[in-house]
Amino acid sequence: HGLPESSYQGGLSVSTDGGLSWARADTLDPPLSQGPAALGEVHDVAFAQGDALQGRTSHLFFAADGRIACPVDTPVLLVPRIWASSDSASTWQPRDTLPTGVCRPDLGPLYPVPQSLLWFDDSGTTHLFAGTTLPGFCDLCADGDLGVPNGVFLSTDGGATWQPRNVGLPTLPDGVVYDVLALARNPSWGDLYAALAPPGDSPGRAHLYRSLDNGLSWALYDEDLSGDRVRALLVDEPGGGRLFAAVDGSPTNPGGVFVRPEGAPGWTSINIGLPPDSARALAISTPDFGLPTLHVGTDQGVWSLTKNPDSDSDGPSNDEENLAPNGGDGNADAIDDNNQPDVASIVYAPDPALQGKASEGAAKRATIGNINLRAPKGGTPCTQVLDVHQPPLESLREDTGFQYPAGVFRFEFENCSQAFVELILHDDEIPSVATFRRFGPEIVGDPLSIGWQPMSAVRIGNSWRLDLSDNESGDLRSDTGRFLFIGGPAVDFEIFSDGFESF
């Protein structure tokens, strides 16, 4: 706000009391003549596990924007991008011999910026990985023809020298390696993971790669991931070796959080109650007693999930599905719902505004029923339903003229193109005049056409049977082979409380 650059504080701070207070931690050596703000944004910090000095981690690295200039036609490093400390962040020294990029006529320098760091020891060798991006990359300006190095780099000498490790990673047609947004490692198995996106920050589907040889080669690892780009990766070691991915999305192809245990064939979505399109950061807390909690940073704050056992990965926990009628067999097929990945029973909350004054203070009205979603046999059945839950109506656009006595329901099927789904409201009485409506885009993939739409449904008592297809009008998932549904039984607003209408 008009202050000289030298007056700004730097981008790295440290707390020694659990976050109650913070102090500057970017005391660089030598100090930056351009002021601490010359570092730019600090993107990531890496440290050695189990390495402590007086109770604090002693060896650390951090990655920042740094600064490269083009006084003539040769890029010159003015502010290093990677820094190292061996005394618990008391002092820092530069460790930046990464490529300095190129000078573009009239556009200034184009150079790789380390976005993510990963440090570990393997067989007595310390490995420091840096994943870089190309800020300001312009494909239409022929930046791809300049041959700027990008991608994954490795140092085995504490950052003194760096070598590219990009064999198998995707590139643009002109050979530019994709931006690396996140890195992670499973210490139990030794697997490395890299999340990538096309340079230039253009939207695109999730790209995730795995290496089994410390980055010498990479292979695709993003089967069943949906959404746009992977923004963060996390391995819950110690705790099971599961890999979590936070994925960006869009209104017609939501992202969220996905999990993949080591050795599993694909990814499972865990997004119940999470705002779409905005998963950007991940952390996990493991208490001394009880289940671990996963924390997700979004553009609507931090959200947390304590995941209870869910044998069939459909969203509701085993305990919740056991509350279904018939002793946990909501669809009465003689199989417990918690053992069927294509069946999910949940406790649902009817709209309290539509239950009448007689229900005020009756707490059980919010948890009196279950729903059941069933993909019938025949043809190629959908074998997995995901994230079955009831989103709050206020989180969706208003459906003018309609009320939803039982609320609305959200679920997603993967690896199939069509399903006949049965929705059973076991304990609710829905008016006979009710129709079924869904929330989604009228034109698949077009966010401007999202809204409420009528749909055909066969009603038998409190059972609603829906014929759903991939990429039909109303499908909230533009990916092929998955379809995302939000909807429920709706009734017109009543003008008079006694139900008698007049014109």
Side-chain angles (χ1 to χ4, degrees), residues 369-391:
N370 300 278
I371 68 164
N372 170 261
L373 304 172
R374 177 164 60 98
K377 298 179 181 179
T380 302
C382 295
T383 58
Q384 182 68 65
V385 63
L386 297 168
D387 292 332
V388 180
H389 70 287
Q390 187 173 52

Side-chain angles (χ1 to χ4, degrees), residues 43 74 112-113 125 158 162 167-168 217 229-230 233 256 258 266-267 269 291 371 377 396 425 443 448 459 489-490:
H43 297 288
T74 302
V113 171
T125 301
W162 296 87
V167 174
S217 62
R229 59 198 57 208
V230 179
L233 296 169
F258 296 79
W267 293 84
S269 171
L291 297 170
I371 68 164
K377 298 179 181 179
L396 305 172
L425 304 177
I443 303 172
L448 298 180
R459 180 176 182 179

Side-chain angles (χ1 to χ4, degrees), residues 291-304:
L291 297 170
T293 297
L294 181 68
H295 309 280
V296 184
T298 78
D299 57 7
Q300 297 184 37
V302 177
W303 297 69
S304 300

Side-chain angles (χ1 to χ4, degrees), residues 353-373:
L354 303 180
Q355 302 306 311
K357 291 185 177 181
S359 66
E360 289 183 3
K364 293 183 179 180
R365 290 291 298 171
T367 56
I368 60 170
N370 300 278
I371 68 164
N372 170 261
L373 304 172

Side-chain angles (χ1 to χ4, degrees), residues 250 252-254 444-445 470-471 475-480 482:
S250 67
T252 58
N253 197 19
V444 176
D470 184 23
N471 285 332
D475 183 4
L476 274 162
R477 175 77 68 193
S478 57
D479 274 358
T480 300
R482 299 180 71 141

Side-chain angles (χ1 to χ4, degrees), residues 476-497:
L476 274 162
R477 175 77 68 193
S478 57
D479 274 358
T480 300
R482 299 180 71 141
F483 46 94
L484 173 58
F485 178 88
I486 295 179
V491 295
D492 292 338
F493 278 120
E494 292 181 344
I495 298 178
F496 297 108
S497 60

Side-chain angles (χ1 to χ4, degrees), residues 423-442:
L423 168 63
I424 305 171
L425 304 177
H426 296 289
D427 304 312
D428 231 353
E429 293 296 331
I430 305 297
S432 59
V433 295
T435 59
F436 216 93
R437 293 173 66 80
R438 69 188 298 178
F439 181 79
E442 185 175 356

Side-chain angles (χ1 to χ4, degrees), residues 25 55 101 109 115 232 243 270 273 278 290 312-313 347 369 377 424 474 477 485 488:
Q115 183 80 24
L243 177 64
I270 47 172
S278 61
D312 49 9
S313 301
V347 176
K377 298 179 181 179
I424 305 171
R477 175 77 68 193
F485 178 88

